[in-house]
Amino acid sequence: MGICESRTVIITGAARGLGRAYALAFASEGANVVVNDIGTSLNGEGRDTSAADGVVAEIIAAGGKAIANYEDITDWDAAKRIVDAAVAAFGDLHVVVNNAGIVRDRMFVSATLEEWDATMHVHLRGHFCLSRHAVDYWRAKQKAGGNPDARIINTSSGAGLQGSIAQAAYSTAKGGIAALTLVQAAELGRYGITANALAPSARTRMTEQAFADKMATADMAFDVMDPANIAPTVVWLGSSDSAEVTGCVFELEGGKIMLEDGWREGPAVDKGAKWEPAEVGAAVDKLLAGRVPPRKVWGTA
């Protein structure tokens, strides 16, 4: 009996890469899986339902339970239909894994408004719409006397945590998702809902394009970049076993699970009076000398 036996999970962007790995892993642990994917290209263009259908076929062939769903997570009404489809098919909903995303890589000086808006739309609005409808369902369940034992699992990124050259929009969106997770965890615990985020490093359409050298590990004894390495932690976060864990961001790569330490107060100096502009430089020099060196932005020397 798996650790997610009879739990129902919606996974967005579940037809390929990490999402597919999550779907297969959840199903192997007994979960009912809603494979949501509209089948777009890496930059968010086009539609193809066959990829989601293929993942569902894999799960069913292995003895699992799954349905395909092709609704657009950025559409408010469509996002509710995803939740409704999960409940109609399996009788309940326990987990939302917000995994879908696009990328429009561009140096900031060349970035366009359309690329910026498209990236924010899919990542931030997409995370909001589906989670918001799921929370409505879980709150109603609790008010009716039930125990939601629910999970929101968001997807941030190393780019969102430390920045990445040529990915200003993507980094900004992923940083916003990390902050959203903290707020969700603080607000939703009273309803039996936890919220955590992932910053996964694995081989996907997105990372093969941006970090080709790092992703080329398939011939190694242990394929560090195999998306399947990320799935066990995601499945555990979706299980009842993780009920006490919320408001965390986990950076995952290969066999490594790392808990992000987050923003916290660093060195400080207090004059106890108003500063003169000419005095500030020396104070800042002192603060910089006493800080923990920050992680470098991805792509810098």
Side-chain angles (χ1 to χ4, degrees), residues 14 30 39 41 55 60 75 82 99 101-102 113 121 126 137 141-142 157 174 177 187 195 233 236 258 265 277 291 298:
S41 65
V55 176
I60 293 174
D75 182 295
I82 301 172
N99 170 71
I102 64 169
L113 181 61
H121 192 73
Y137 170 78
K141 183 177 179 180
Q142 190 206 50
S157 167
K174 290 302 192 182
I177 288 168
E187 292 184 357
T233 301
W236 181 83
M258 182 165 63
E265 293 181 351
R291 71 172 176 173
W298 281 103

Side-chain angles (χ1 to χ4, degrees), residues 175-260:
I177 288 168
L180 170 65
T181 303
L182 301 182
V183 176
Q184 288 174 328
E187 292 184 357
L188 301 178
R190 71 190 74 178
Y191 306 113
I193 306 166
T194 68
N196 294 285
L198 319 168
S201 180
R203 189 183 310 105
T204 67
R205 291 188 299 170
M206 194 176 294
T207 57
E208 281 183 319
Q209 175 178 293
F211 306 106
D213 291 342
K214 184 176 181 180
M215 295 302 129
T217 63
D219 295 331
M220 296 182 179
F222 172 48
D223 184 1
V224 176
M225 292 301 158
D226 186 345
N229 297 327
I230 308 300
T233 301
V234 182
V235 173
W236 181 83
L237 286 171
S239 74
S240 292
D241 295 348
S242 68
E244 303 304 316
V245 179
T246 194
C248 297
V249 178
F250 294 92
E251 195 159 0
L252 308 171
E253 180 180 300
K256 180 171 68 175
I257 303 172
M258 182 165 63
L259 182 64
E260 291 297 308

Side-chain angles (χ1 to χ4, degrees), residues 1-60:
M1 191 172 187
I3 65 170
C4 286
E5 193 70 31
S6 299
R7 287 173 71 78
T8 297
V9 53
I10 296 170
I11 305 171
T12 69
R16 300 178 178 86
L18 286 166
R20 174 180 174 274
Y22 302 161
L24 297 175
F26 267 104
S28 71
E29 290 293 328
N32 308 311
V33 183
V34 178
V35 178
N36 169 262
D37 202 302
I38 60 175
T40 67
S41 65
L42 188 57
N43 65 1
E45 298 175 347
R47 295 288 187 274
D48 177 12
T49 62
S50 64
D53 291 338
V55 176
V56 170
E58 282 188 76
I59 291 172
I60 293 174

Side-chain angles (χ1 to χ4, degrees), residues 113-186:
L113 181 61
E114 185 276 330
E115 291 167 343
W116 181 273
D117 286 347
T119 304
M120 299 303 156
H121 192 73
V122 174
H123 289 278
L124 292 175
R125 183 182 171 105
H127 270 62
F128 172 78
C129 289
L130 182 56
S131 297
R132 180 68 169 71
H133 285 300
V135 166
D136 282 350
Y137 170 78
W138 290 324
R139 287 182 67 205
K141 183 177 179 180
Q142 190 206 50
K143 289 179 180 179
N147 173 28
D149 191 26
R151 309 282 181 268
I152 297 172
I153 302 173
N154 294 326
T155 303
S156 183
S157 167
L161 302 176
Q162 64 192 88
S164 180
I165 293 292
Q167 291 190 315
Y170 182 78
S171 297
T172 301
K174 290 302 192 182
I177 288 168
L180 170 65
T181 303
L182 301 182
V183 176
Q184 288 174 328

